[in-house]
Amino acid sequence: MGERNSPSSTSAPTNERRVRTTQEWLAYFQQNAVRHRPIPWQSTDMGASPAEMAPIRRSLQAWQLGETSDGRHLAASAARYAATIGDPAYRDVIDLFIWEEQRHGALLGRILDDAGIPRRQADWGDTLFRRLRHSITDIEVWTTPVVMVETLAMIYYNAIRRATGSPVLRAVCAQILADEVPHVQLQCERLAVLLRNRSRTRFHLTMLAHRALFLVVMLLVWAGHHRALRAGGFTWPHYRRAAYAKMRRAWQRMDPQRYVWT
Ligand SMILES: [Fe+2]
Ligand SMILES: [Fe+2]
């Protein structure tokens, strides 16, 4: 799924595990910004029955709101971080990352509009997550919950794709999923950079804190979206298993020992 869009196509040696450079990420995001999967908007109706929409409509409203964040706090944190490490292009990478999230929000917004579902202005999960992000300026602490939510987003959009027969909604989910795979990779690689000089003991303590936070985030997503997840075939045990399988891969990717550093 992520193969076609993978930034690895812009990276050099394929047998060497190294984090992509900022320039490689920038090239990837610039290319991806003009890459649009076909979405059959011309369909006269959404192709989703009211019964099909019932368990997912409220949840879609909340994710649409979450994807629509203007990203000002992140852009400011990224700008400060980029200046500190002397890598100004990192700010441009984050700007393009924010733009892609807004693209997801716009796609979901159009889905809601076409289905006659009003857009929400507030949602408890979104408010909680926004407050958490806005209270944080440290790029590591900011990136950590984001990589967790994005990991769970991949399960969520998979569930929505399975819950509906609507070609439009399925195509939108496919676009979002294709974008999210590199998003998680970008955040994992950044965490690997940030954790690189930490002793192994402190690294493992950091991972313990990650596990505690992930449990909370996973439970919150289930609390807010279990109807939609179930509609897509994710019962609680299935969801929990899938969540940990994906997050374990992400944890491996943020381990600095995985990479060759030059
Ligand atoms: Fe997104
Ligand atoms: Fe994302």
Side-chain angles (χ1 to χ4, degrees), residues 124-197:
W124 67 265
D126 177 68
T127 305
L128 194 70
F129 190 49
R130 268 180 215 235
R131 288 218 178 118
L132 176 66
R133 282 176 310 173
H134 291 183
S135 63
I136 293 167
T137 51
D138 179 88
I139 201 84
E140 178 191 339
V141 187
W142 182 91
T143 305
T144 301
V146 169
V147 76
M148 292 174 181
V149 171
E150 297 210 293
T151 298
L152 295 171
M154 289 196 278
I155 296 171
Y156 176 77
Y157 287 112
N158 238 319
I160 296 299
R161 194 166 53 168
R162 291 161 61 165
T164 181
S166 160
V168 182
L169 185 48
R170 287 173 63 85
V172 164
C173 288
Q175 172 74 63
I176 295 177
L177 284 165
D179 291 343
E180 293 298 353
V181 175
H183 284 190
V184 171
Q185 182 68 24
L186 168 74
Q187 310 297 355
C188 287
E189 288 186 12
R190 184 50 47 179
L191 282 167
V193 170
L194 292 160
L195 297 170
R196 190 183 160 194
N197 294 322

